[in-house]
Amino acid sequence: MTTITIPVLDVAGRPTRLEAALLAASASVQRGVAARMMRRAERALARSAADEYAERTRADVAAHLARHPRA
């Protein structure tokens, strides 16, 4: 992963154009990373719910088959 180092802004005065552009770019990158992390978390939740459902279904099928042994 690449780390972007942003120089510290002097809050006492107005930021230069370069500082303002770097701050805006940094905020944009952070929003993109946060959005990607949220999408991954949502997919992981959906995946774990699907896995849990499949596991319950397998257990239900096994229990059903145990009640109806072959003759």
Side-chain angles (χ1 to χ4, degrees), residues 14-62:
R14 278 182 56 158
T16 64
R17 278 193 218 142
L18 176 60
E19 289 172 334
L22 287 172
L23 185 61
S26 174
S28 175
V29 168
Q30 288 176 355
R31 280 192 304 272
V33 168
R36 184 171 57 231
M37 289 174 64
M38 286 300 293
R39 283 193 303 273
R40 285 182 179 175
E42 289 168 356
R43 281 195 306 263
L45 284 174
R47 198 175 310 121
S48 66
D51 290 345
E52 184 180 329
Y53 177 77
E55 200 56 45
R56 282 195 320 264
T57 301
R58 278 194 278 283
D60 291 344
V61 168

Side-chain angles (χ1 to χ4, degrees), residues 1 5-6 9 20 22-23 32 39 48-49 52 54 57 64 67-69 71:
M1 174 178 237
T5 305
I6 304 297
L9 297 178
L22 287 172
L23 185 61
R39 283 193 303 273
S48 66
E52 184 180 329
T57 301
H64 178 78
R67 286 192 304 268
H68 301 285

